[in-house]
Amino acid sequence: MAQQHHEMTDTGAGPGTAGEALTGYLQDQATEFLRSLRLHRESSTDAQGAEESLEAARSLRRAARRIGATLHTFRPLLDAEWASSLRPELAWLSGTLGQEHAYASRLDRLLEALHRLSGPPPVPAQAALAASGAGGRTARQNGWAQPSVPSAADSGTPRGLAVGAAKAAALLERQLTLARTRAHSTALQAFGSSRFHAVADHVAVLASEVPLSGTAEDLVPLADQAEATLAEAVAVLPLGQAGHPYNAGALSHGLAPTDTAPDAQDAPWLKVRSLLRLYRYAQEVLVGHDRPDPRIADASHALNVHREAASAAAAAAHAARTPRIAPATAYALGVLHADQRHEVEAARFVFQRAWLREEARTR
């Protein structure tokens, strides 16, 4: 990774070019932030613009993350008070806007896993009614149809899982849809708050003028520091243990009855994910978007899957603790939780392979 730093021609030549490169990057991201905000406002007033509104919100979050990460990595080059006040506000905005999408993705991931684990894909409601010939009743309208579904014995699925999968899906959908609705309301409130307007005003100023500190600091050492911090965090990870595609030992810890057990072992990986993102954005400042490192992209993708699977497992465990649910439903949720913890271990395995390939390349 460090080799990329020395392939640059101008950004590290002196304080003037370093400031210009940093200014250009921040202004580009600020412009993207404002463009996405405008599109979000325009699409929010259109009844047909729901998808455009969501995409604009995602673009706004991406710009906010990049601005905040750049303020963190290259803070010696920027006005300290200004950067320190804007960074937490951008983090608040990005986190608030990301919750709705996170709950929707989590629900999709869990329902797809339940479909996969419980046997053949559920028969759509319309097809099931036609096949029954008598307009049979369906359990739900989103595809969990009862008529004409192969039995557990026919599909090879354990009977308890086949029985509980539909109710588990309904329970997860109720809980996560409610959480998504609340997140959507929170995001709408955030867009109308004085706090958000203050952030937007700061970003608007940033689009025309970046408050530099005037320090004769180079970009490359600061990016190297971000890389060194990432390497230290990766060194703490049990990469040797993650090198096994089926990691039963780590899985047993993830299935521990205490709520803190999965969180404790996931935390170092989540920290590496955040540090890897800081490193990626620092590289964008140095070399631009046109020269991404595919190995870093693979490692980042693996850690994104890791976080999604860990969050999905936690959601399944939370649903399983719902009072007075049927034993078959609890069993299906337990199988689903174990499946997602397997996905966590698989993502760690992918990251381990990508990271060791990167180390071998740079030696």
Side-chain angles (χ1 to χ4, degrees), residues 10 17 23 40 60 87 105 206 244 271 343 359-362:
D10 295 326
T17 55
T23 296
H40 182 271
L60 192 150
R87 274 187 54 228
S105 299
L206 179 63
H244 303 284
K271 178 181 178 181
E343 294 289 335
E359 287 187 342
R361 187 177 71 89
T362 56

PDB file of all heavy atoms in Angstrom, residues 10 17 23 40 60 87 105 206 244 271 343 359-362:
ATOM      1  N   ASP A  10       2.725  15.210  -7.895  1.00  0.00           N
ATOM      2  CA  ASP A  10       2.660  16.592  -7.460  1.00  0.00           C
ATOM      3  C   ASP A  10       2.152  16.780  -6.042  1.00  0.00           C
ATOM      4  O   ASP A  10       2.568  17.702  -5.365  1.00  0.00           O
ATOM      5  CB  ASP A  10       1.744  17.395  -8.405  1.00  0.00           C
ATOM      6  CG  ASP A  10       2.332  17.477  -9.793  1.00  0.00           C
ATOM      7  OD1 ASP A  10       3.568  17.535  -9.892  1.00  0.00           O
ATOM      8  OD2 ASP A  10       1.564  17.460 -10.764  1.00  0.00           O
ATOM      9  N   THR A  17       1.185  22.633  -3.026  1.00  0.00           N
ATOM     10  CA  THR A  17       0.478  21.610  -3.783  1.00  0.00           C
ATOM     11  C   THR A  17      -0.321  20.707  -2.858  1.00  0.00           C
ATOM     12  O   THR A  17      -1.373  20.207  -3.240  1.00  0.00           O
ATOM     13  CB  THR A  17       1.473  20.775  -4.597  1.00  0.00           C
ATOM     14  OG1 THR A  17       2.461  20.254  -3.726  1.00  0.00           O
ATOM     15  CG2 THR A  17       2.126  21.616  -5.672  1.00  0.00           C
ATOM     16  N   THR A  23      -7.670  20.943  -0.859  1.00  0.00           N
ATOM     17  CA  THR A  23      -8.767  21.863  -1.150  1.00  0.00           C
ATOM     18  C   THR A  23      -9.636  21.348  -2.286  1.00  0.00           C
ATOM     19  O   THR A  23     -10.875  21.368  -2.213  1.00  0.00           O
ATOM     20  CB  THR A  23      -8.210  23.252  -1.507  1.00  0.00           C
ATOM     21  OG1 THR A  23      -7.522  23.791  -0.376  1.00  0.00           O
ATOM     22  CG2 THR A  23      -9.323  24.196  -1.919  1.00  0.00           C
ATOM     23  N   HIS A  40     -32.373  15.537  -3.321  1.00  0.00           N
ATOM     24  CA  HIS A  40     -33.224  14.950  -2.290  1.00  0.00           C
ATOM     25  C   HIS A  40     -34.442  15.818  -2.033  1.00  0.00           C
ATOM     26  O   HIS A  40     -35.576  15.324  -1.910  1.00  0.00           O
ATOM     27  CB  HIS A  40     -32.415  14.770  -0.999  1.00  0.00           C
ATOM     28  CG  HIS A  40     -33.200  14.122   0.102  1.00  0.00           C
ATOM     29  ND1 HIS A  40     -33.958  14.853   0.996  1.00  0.00           N
ATOM     30  CD2 HIS A  40     -33.354  12.824   0.454  1.00  0.00           C
ATOM     31  CE1 HIS A  40     -34.544  14.031   1.844  1.00  0.00           C
ATOM     32  NE2 HIS A  40     -34.203  12.804   1.542  1.00  0.00           N
ATOM     33  N   LEU A  60     -25.548  11.720  -0.475  1.00  0.00           N
ATOM     34  CA  LEU A  60     -25.248  12.729   0.532  1.00  0.00           C
ATOM     35  C   LEU A  60     -24.437  12.126   1.668  1.00  0.00           C
ATOM     36  O   LEU A  60     -23.476  12.728   2.172  1.00  0.00           O
ATOM     37  CB  LEU A  60     -26.555  13.327   1.044  1.00  0.00           C
ATOM     38  CG  LEU A  60     -26.489  14.589   1.907  1.00  0.00           C
ATOM     39  CD1 LEU A  60     -27.745  15.416   1.691  1.00  0.00           C
ATOM     40  CD2 LEU A  60     -26.348  14.251   3.370  1.00  0.00           C
ATOM     41  N   ARG A  87     -16.606  17.833  12.144  1.00  0.00           N
ATOM     42  CA  ARG A  87     -16.507  16.371  12.041  1.00  0.00           C
ATOM     43  C   ARG A  87     -17.623  15.634  12.779  1.00  0.00           C
ATOM     44  O   ARG A  87     -18.283  14.750  12.197  1.00  0.00           O
ATOM     45  CB  ARG A  87     -15.146  15.898  12.537  1.00  0.00           C
ATOM     46  CG  ARG A  87     -14.050  15.902  11.493  1.00  0.00           C
ATOM     47  CD  ARG A  87     -12.793  15.259  12.051  1.00  0.00           C
ATOM     48  NE  ARG A  87     -13.053  13.951  12.578  1.00  0.00           N
ATOM     49  CZ  ARG A  87     -12.637  13.513  13.769  1.00  0.00           C
ATOM     50  NH1 ARG A  87     -11.955  14.292  14.563  1.00  0.00           N
ATOM     51  NH2 ARG A  87     -12.909  12.289  14.160  1.00  0.00           N
ATOM     52  N   SER A 105     -31.985  -3.266   4.465  1.00  0.00           N
ATOM     53  CA  SER A 105     -31.037  -4.278   3.996  1.00  0.00           C
ATOM     54  C   SER A 105     -30.990  -5.466   4.939  1.00  0.00           C
ATOM     55  O   SER A 105     -30.869  -6.626   4.505  1.00  0.00           O
ATOM     56  CB  SER A 105     -29.646  -3.657   3.856  1.00  0.00           C
ATOM     57  OG  SER A 105     -29.648  -2.602   2.921  1.00  0.00           O
ATOM     58  N   LEU A 206     -17.658  25.467   2.645  1.00  0.00           N
ATOM     59  CA  LEU A 206     -16.531  24.618   2.276  1.00  0.00           C
ATOM     60  C   LEU A 206     -16.413  24.475   0.765  1.00  0.00           C
ATOM     61  O   LEU A 206     -15.303  24.348   0.223  1.00  0.00           O
ATOM     62  CB  LEU A 206     -16.695  23.239   2.922  1.00  0.00           C
ATOM     63  CG  LEU A 206     -15.623  22.191   2.642  1.00  0.00           C
ATOM     64  CD1 LEU A 206     -14.267  22.646   3.176  1.00  0.00           C
ATOM     65  CD2 LEU A 206     -16.011  20.852   3.271  1.00  0.00           C
ATOM     66  N   HIS A 244      -9.318 -20.197   8.580  1.00  0.00           N
ATOM     67  CA  HIS A 244     -10.051 -21.439   8.355  1.00  0.00           C
ATOM     68  C   HIS A 244     -11.442 -21.109   7.836  1.00  0.00           C
ATOM     69  O   HIS A 244     -12.175 -20.337   8.460  1.00  0.00           O
ATOM     70  CB  HIS A 244     -10.162 -22.245   9.651  1.00  0.00           C
ATOM     71  CG  HIS A 244      -8.832 -22.565  10.259  1.00  0.00           C
ATOM     72  ND1 HIS A 244      -7.996 -23.543   9.754  1.00  0.00           N
ATOM     73  CD2 HIS A 244      -8.176 -22.014  11.312  1.00  0.00           C
ATOM     74  CE1 HIS A 244      -6.882 -23.597  10.481  1.00  0.00           C
ATOM     75  NE2 HIS A 244      -6.970 -22.679  11.437  1.00  0.00           N
ATOM     76  N   LYS A 271     -13.648  -1.973  14.136  1.00  0.00           N
ATOM     77  CA  LYS A 271     -12.651  -0.899  14.210  1.00  0.00           C
ATOM     78  C   LYS A 271     -11.767  -0.898  12.966  1.00  0.00           C
ATOM     79  O   LYS A 271     -11.485   0.171  12.390  1.00  0.00           O
ATOM     80  CB  LYS A 271     -11.803  -1.064  15.463  1.00  0.00           C
ATOM     81  CG  LYS A 271     -10.702  -0.011  15.611  1.00  0.00           C
ATOM     82  CD  LYS A 271      -9.870  -0.244  16.851  1.00  0.00           C
ATOM     83  CE  LYS A 271      -8.751   0.791  16.963  1.00  0.00           C
ATOM     84  NZ  LYS A 271      -7.910   0.558  18.172  1.00  0.00           N
ATOM     85  N   GLU A 343     -21.828 -16.630   8.363  1.00  0.00           N
ATOM     86  CA  GLU A 343     -21.501 -15.613   7.365  1.00  0.00           C
ATOM     87  C   GLU A 343     -20.446 -14.645   7.900  1.00  0.00           C
ATOM     88  O   GLU A 343     -19.585 -14.172   7.143  1.00  0.00           O
ATOM     89  CB  GLU A 343     -22.766 -14.839   6.978  1.00  0.00           C
ATOM     90  CG  GLU A 343     -23.816 -15.667   6.255  1.00  0.00           C
ATOM     91  CD  GLU A 343     -23.379 -16.031   4.848  1.00  0.00           C
ATOM     92  OE1 GLU A 343     -22.553 -15.301   4.274  1.00  0.00           O
ATOM     93  OE2 GLU A 343     -23.847 -17.053   4.329  1.00  0.00           O
ATOM     94  N   GLU A 359      -0.175  -7.992   1.810  1.00  0.00           N
ATOM     95  CA  GLU A 359       1.135  -7.989   2.469  1.00  0.00           C
ATOM     96  C   GLU A 359       2.181  -8.657   1.600  1.00  0.00           C
ATOM     97  O   GLU A 359       3.307  -8.188   1.502  1.00  0.00           O
ATOM     98  CB  GLU A 359       1.024  -8.697   3.817  1.00  0.00           C
ATOM     99  CG  GLU A 359       0.289  -7.901   4.883  1.00  0.00           C
ATOM    100  CD  GLU A 359       0.359  -8.557   6.236  1.00  0.00           C
ATOM    101  OE1 GLU A 359       0.666  -9.767   6.280  1.00  0.00           O
ATOM    102  OE2 GLU A 359       0.146  -7.873   7.236  1.00  0.00           O
ATOM    103  N   ALA A 360       1.827  -9.777   0.933  1.00  0.00           N
ATOM    104  CA  ALA A 360       2.775 -10.452   0.072  1.00  0.00           C
ATOM    105  C   ALA A 360       3.175  -9.591  -1.116  1.00  0.00           C
ATOM    106  O   ALA A 360       4.330  -9.603  -1.560  1.00  0.00           O
ATOM    107  CB  ALA A 360       2.177 -11.779  -0.409  1.00  0.00           C
ATOM    108  N   ARG A 361       2.248  -8.788  -1.604  1.00  0.00           N
ATOM    109  CA  ARG A 361       2.534  -7.942  -2.773  1.00  0.00           C
ATOM    110  C   ARG A 361       3.498  -6.812  -2.421  1.00  0.00           C
ATOM    111  O   ARG A 361       4.289  -6.393  -3.241  1.00  0.00           O
ATOM    112  CB  ARG A 361       1.232  -7.365  -3.314  1.00  0.00           C
ATOM    113  CG  ARG A 361       1.377  -6.621  -4.622  1.00  0.00           C
ATOM    114  CD  ARG A 361       0.014  -6.163  -5.111  1.00  0.00           C
ATOM    115  NE  ARG A 361      -0.499  -5.084  -4.278  1.00  0.00           N
ATOM    116  CZ  ARG A 361      -0.278  -3.808  -4.474  1.00  0.00           C
ATOM    117  NH1 ARG A 361       0.481  -3.428  -5.497  1.00  0.00           N
ATOM    118  NH2 ARG A 361      -0.779  -2.889  -3.679  1.00  0.00           N
ATOM    119  N   THR A 362       3.391  -6.272  -1.181  1.00  0.00           N
ATOM    120  CA  THR A 362       4.204  -5.128  -0.806  1.00  0.00           C
ATOM    121  C   THR A 362       5.553  -5.506  -0.226  1.00  0.00           C
ATOM    122  O   THR A 362       6.342  -4.626   0.091  1.00  0.00           O
ATOM    123  CB  THR A 362       3.451  -4.268   0.227  1.00  0.00           C
ATOM    124  OG1 THR A 362       3.086  -5.096   1.355  1.00  0.00           O
ATOM    125  CG2 THR A 362       2.170  -3.679  -0.386  1.00  0.00           C
TER     126      THR A 362
END
